[in-house]
Amino acid sequence: MDTPSMSLQRLTALRALMASQPTKLAAYIVPTADAHNSEYIAAADARREWISGFTGSAGTAVVTASQALVWTDGRYYTQFEKEADMALWTLMKQSLPDTPSMESWLSTNLSEGDVVGVDPHTMTREEWTPLQTTLTRSKMKLLPVASNLVDAARSQLSDPPPRRPCNQVVALPIKYTGKTAGEKIKELRKKIAEKKTSALVVTALDEVAYILNLRGSDIDYNPVFFAYLVITPASSILFWSSGSLPDTVTEQLKEEGVKIEVKPYSNIVPYLQELAKNEAAGSGRAVWLSNEASEAIHRAASGSDVLNQPLTLISEVSPVALMKLVKKEVELEGFRNCHIRDGIAVVRFLRWLHEQVDDGQAVTEIQAADKLLEFRKEEDDFMGPSFETIAGAGANGAIIHYSPSRTGPQRTIHQQDMFLLDSGGQYKDGTTDITRTRMMNRSPSPEQRDAFTRVLKGQIAVGSALFPLGVKGNVLDSFARKSLWDVGLDYAHGTGHGVGHYLNVHEGPSGISWRPYPHDPGMKPGHILSNEPGFYKVDEYGIRHEDLVEIVAITKESDHPRAKNLVGDYDGRGVLGFSTLTMVPHQRECIDAAMLDDLELSYINNYHKRVLSTLGPKLKERGLVQDLEWLERECQPIVRG
């Protein structure tokens, strides 16, 4: 854990470097980012965490000569105040309407002529452009600083950043992917021809892995590897490691119709600069890349640092992101199957945990997370957790993205605790993400039962919703909040995120949130999303119910609670709904049946019936009698009164 003296020492070192730059910096921005705009980052890129002490997965730090601030969202307010030195750092609560944006704060608090620096590898073009516009309007300048100043400060303090991972890359067989790498590249080349571009530059790590049907382990919980991929009409060039793939991977790609050229990872910028020079001297065709690619990659691809007249770029939503968003039937079947296996692991864990706590055994949050991992490891094709398990007992459950520490005092799960468990698994055939909340003594207070039920009503409202094909996810967000809003309650996070297929557990560009996803293409069959409303009473308890759901087409004949009432199809647009993938019951003792209407009561009972009929035979077949008996009790029908 960082101490106040360490925090001050680190800020002092960074400020000295800011002052010593050829162009003195009035402010330096430290995003939570790597060169690929990854949500989860490797230790080598955890610069904002190092400088601030705040370990949350989202937030942007700004350091000036006299101030240090972090902008983050409502998931992390409590965590930030616990981890950061509040005498040195200011929390900017970006979810609140009266909190100025980072751009606004800089333009208001700096002076004309001031220069703001940032490593261009850690900021996307989409982030860079509006910031640059705002600062220019205020007669300030945004400067790309090629050498990362936090890395330099670390080295000065004899705490250099860890080496960037470069772990083994493996091929994912066609029985899991449903489409060869060659077929995917052929589709992309067709789009390249339609755009009349010279190349498509793929920078997101999950997109590189998806196209090539490869997986890695360079970032914890995310089966990706550090690489760039450039696809031209005639070649496929992978920038990875020192420039040499294992023979087994090269052979697999060849079998899937891909002749791959491999160059060192560090060569991407000079390669793109040379490509820009060649295009400028020839046909002048544009290069196509994602608007979420870094400013550094945009500058290299346009040749802005090597040409008097930079090339025009096509910078927009990545075609790969849109391609992998709609899962193929093989991938969808994998999702359905892995959720059955994952459900078995979680059910076994919950039965075990209640048994331990009921018997007076001391089980800590860390021990609970480790035990759940043991159960998941017994399931076929399990490759590891999909994120760090959130195991929050009592007040820790109110910290939205809390994860127990292995060092320091350990929190024991007590009978009087409400226990929030948010966890997931990476399987070769899919990715899971599930949250269940348990009252360990099965006797919630009236307030807790009311909140638990309201959150469940919100989840049911989304899970049972019907909506037009192409509608964007933000339209559904209020459904999840209404029951909470009715009594003046809310939660400070989105309601749903996309999920990758044995890839990142958080996948864009779609999602369900009060804040629109800027590049949401609209919902279609084959998308996988989470459905996860919650409620958090700070310093007391947290409640979240999370399922993964598959978007499906609905007709009057569909097995859906609202299908029979359909009288139209939105003027030919088509009707969509959700099919729940997650297979774990909710705690009956925490549900106030009197608060549920007939549809909601039927929905939860039918869900529990499906969980039991799906998992029960498999538990019986494996001789897991105690787990089956526990599941049978948990899935008994809920009745009013």
Side-chain angles (χ1 to χ4, degrees):
M1 177 129 181
D2 295 340
T3 64
S5 61
M6 289 171 61
S7 297
L8 180 58
Q9 186 183 41
R10 292 172 181 182
L11 280 172
T12 301
L14 177 58
R15 285 168 173 152
L17 286 166
M18 291 163 55
S20 66
Q21 293 300 297
T23 301
K24 182 180 178 181
L25 303 179
Y28 188 70
I29 301 172
V30 187
T32 307
D34 62 14
H36 304 270
N37 195 35
S38 305
E39 178 184 10
Y40 295 101
I41 55 178
D45 297 304
R47 301 177 178 100
R48 189 228 62 223
E49 177 181 332
W50 183 84
I51 195 67
S52 69
F54 165 53
T55 63
S57 65
T60 301
V62 172
V63 177
T64 71
S66 60
Q67 297 190 68
L69 313 94
V70 167
W71 277 259
T72 192
D73 62 65
R75 296 173 295 171
Y76 300 106
Y77 296 163
T78 305
Q79 181 178 345
F80 182 90
E81 290 167 350
K82 289 178 181 292
E83 293 180 337
D85 183 346
M86 299 304 287
L88 299 173
W89 287 89
T90 300
L91 170 61
M92 304 298 285
K93 298 181 177 182
Q94 66 186 38
S95 304
L96 301 184
D98 58 347
T99 300
S101 66
M102 180 184 70
E103 294 91 336
S104 175
W105 188 91
L106 287 167
S107 62
T108 302
N109 288 272
L110 301 185
S111 303
E112 285 189 16
D114 277 348
V115 178
V116 177
V118 64
D119 179 350
H121 288 93
T122 64
M123 185 172 281
T124 68
R125 169 61 61 92
E126 195 170 48
E127 295 163 334
W128 181 281
T129 300
L131 176 58
Q132 184 178 52
T133 300
T134 299
L135 293 177
T136 301
R137 192 182 300 127
S138 300
K139 296 183 172 58
M140 300 169 190
K141 183 179 180 182
L142 181 60
L143 181 71
V145 181
S147 177
N148 192 284
L149 297 190
V150 175
D151 290 351
R154 294 192 69 162
S155 296
Q156 282 188 1
L157 296 175
S158 301
D159 182 21
R163 184 184 297 272
R164 183 167 303 284
C166 185
N167 298 323
Q168 183 181 13
V169 173
V170 297
L172 190 63
I174 188 69
K175 71 175 183 177
Y176 297 112
T177 65
K179 184 181 286 188
T180 67
E183 291 172 316
K184 294 175 183 179
I185 290 174
K186 184 177 180 180
E187 287 183 26
L188 291 170
R189 284 195 172 127
K190 183 179 178 182
K191 295 178 185 295
I192 290 170
E194 291 169 354
K195 288 279 186 181
K196 297 182 172 61
T197 65
S198 61
L200 171 65
V201 182
V202 183
T203 60
L205 302 183
D206 61 331
E207 294 181 15
V208 175
Y210 170 82
I211 294 169
L212 297 178
N213 291 339
L214 301 178
R215 298 295 187 267
S217 59
D218 286 353
I219 296 179
D220 289 346
Y221 313 114
N222 298 269
V224 297
F225 49 95
F226 284 106
Y228 296 92
L229 180 64
V230 178
I231 301 172
T232 74
S235 63
S236 301
I237 307 161
L238 180 69
F239 295 81
W240 178 76
S241 186
S242 59
S244 178
L245 276 174
D247 291 343
T248 53
V249 174
T250 303
E251 188 60 33
Q252 177 66 33
L253 288 169
K254 186 177 180 181
E255 289 178 9
E256 293 196 17
V258 179
K259 182 180 179 182
I260 197 81
E261 182 181 349
V262 187
K263 296 179 181 291
Y265 175 76
S266 59
N267 282 15
I268 182 64
V269 167
Y271 171 86
L272 291 176
Q273 289 174 334
E274 192 64 28
L275 177 65
K277 286 182 185 177
N278 293 338
E279 283 300 321
S283 62
R285 291 175 299 173
V287 173
W288 188 11
L289 69 172
S290 168
N291 49 16
E292 295 190 345
S294 72
E295 174 66 15
I297 292 296
H298 275 82
R299 296 171 77 89
S302 68
S304 62
D305 295 329
V306 294
L307 296 173
N308 293 326
Q309 183 63 43
L311 287 179
T312 300
L313 298 177
I314 298 176
S315 180
E316 59 186 21
V317 180
S318 166
V320 184
L322 298 177
M323 180 188 291
K324 69 181 173 61
L325 180 62
V326 181
K327 274 59 180 180
K328 296 172 286 296
E329 184 54 38
V330 167
E331 294 173 313
L332 292 171
E333 190 61 26
F335 267 108
R336 297 167 196 143
N337 290 335
C338 76
H339 273 85
I340 294 172
R341 302 196 301 278
D342 199 66
I344 288 172
V346 176
V347 163
R348 294 181 66 197
F349 166 77
L350 291 176
R351 195 273 304 170
W352 173 87
L353 180 64
H354 272 287
E355 184 179 83
Q356 297 299 304
V357 175
D358 289 347
D359 288 347
Q361 300 297 316
V363 179
T364 67
E365 295 166 328
I366 280 289
Q367 289 170 335
D370 289 346
K371 188 66 178 181
L372 175 57
L373 180 58
E374 286 182 27
F375 284 121
R376 280 196 167 111
K377 284 180 176 179
E378 294 183 28
E379 301 304 318
D380 290 344
D381 285 339
F382 177 71
M383 303 301 290
S386 55
F387 56 95
E388 187 174 12
T389 295
I390 298 169
N396 289 339
I399 304 172
I400 297 173
H401 272 202
Y402 168 83
S403 289
S405 172
R406 292 189 178 275
T407 59
Q410 298 295 300
R411 175 63 156 86
T412 299
I413 303 167
H414 302 294
Q415 272 210 320
Q416 67 271 24
D417 283 333
M418 185 161 266
F419 177 63
L420 187 152
L421 180 72
D422 187 348
S423 68
Q426 292 285 10
Y427 298 84
K428 288 183 180 179
D429 52 350
T431 299
T432 71
D433 183 0
I434 169 179
T435 307
R436 288 295 182 265
T437 305
R438 306 289 301 189
M439 188 67 208
M440 296 312 300
N441 64 8
R442 301 176 179 82
S443 297
S445 68
E447 176 194 271
Q448 290 171 326
R449 181 179 282 111
D450 182 271
F452 188 103
T453 306
R454 289 184 185 279
V455 175
L456 181 63
K457 285 168 70 72
Q459 190 188 49
I460 293 172
V462 173
S464 65
L466 295 180
F467 46 93
L469 187 150
V471 75
K472 296 182 186 297
N474 66 295
V475 173
L476 301 178
D477 185 72
S478 299
F479 294 8
R481 300 179 193 268
K482 182 186 181 301
S483 186
L484 290 166
W485 282 356
D486 285 345
V487 291
L489 303 178
D490 201 357
Y491 52 94
H493 58 76
T495 298
H497 55 82
V499 180
H501 177 263
Y502 184 27
L503 280 171
N504 297 350
V505 72
H506 290 170
E507 178 181 84
S510 290
I512 303 172
S513 178
W514 58 273
R515 183 169 43 202
Y517 279 63
H519 305 299
D520 186 346
M523 295 192 177
K524 297 178 182 177
H527 291 188
I528 303 293
L529 295 168
S530 69
N531 174 10
E532 51 177 311
F535 172 71
Y536 310 90
K537 189 169 185 180
V538 175
D539 295 329
E540 292 195 28
Y541 61 88
I543 298 167
R544 185 160 62 250
H545 307 319
E546 180 182 15
D547 294 334
L548 294 194
V549 294
E550 172 189 345
I551 299 182
V552 295
I554 301 293
T555 67
K556 200 173 181 66
E557 291 71 39
S558 297
D559 181 15
H560 186 280
R562 300 189 188 276
K564 65 181 180 181
N565 295 323
L566 282 171
V567 295
D569 63 353
Y570 307 118
D571 296 324
R573 291 170 67 185
V575 182
L576 299 182
F578 293 118
S579 174
T580 298
L581 297 166
T582 303
M583 288 279 152
V584 176
H586 294 275
Q587 190 172 23
R588 300 168 66 254
E589 294 89 347
C590 289
I591 300 172
D592 185 346
M595 294 175 60
L596 303 180
D597 63 28
D598 289 347
L599 184 143
E600 292 166 338
L601 187 61
S602 174
Y603 183 100
I604 191 65
N605 280 331
N606 285 337
Y607 173 69
H608 285 166
K609 182 179 179 180
R610 183 162 72 94
V611 169
L612 180 59
S613 66
T614 303
L615 303 189
K618 296 185 180 297
L619 291 170
K620 184 177 181 180
E621 181 182 310
R622 289 166 60 171
L624 300 171
V625 178
Q626 288 181 304
D627 299 313
L628 175 57
E629 291 173 348
W630 184 88
L631 183 63
E632 288 172 338
R633 290 192 297 271
E634 293 292 317
C635 292
Q636 289 176 7
I638 299 168
V639 295
R640 295 193 184 98

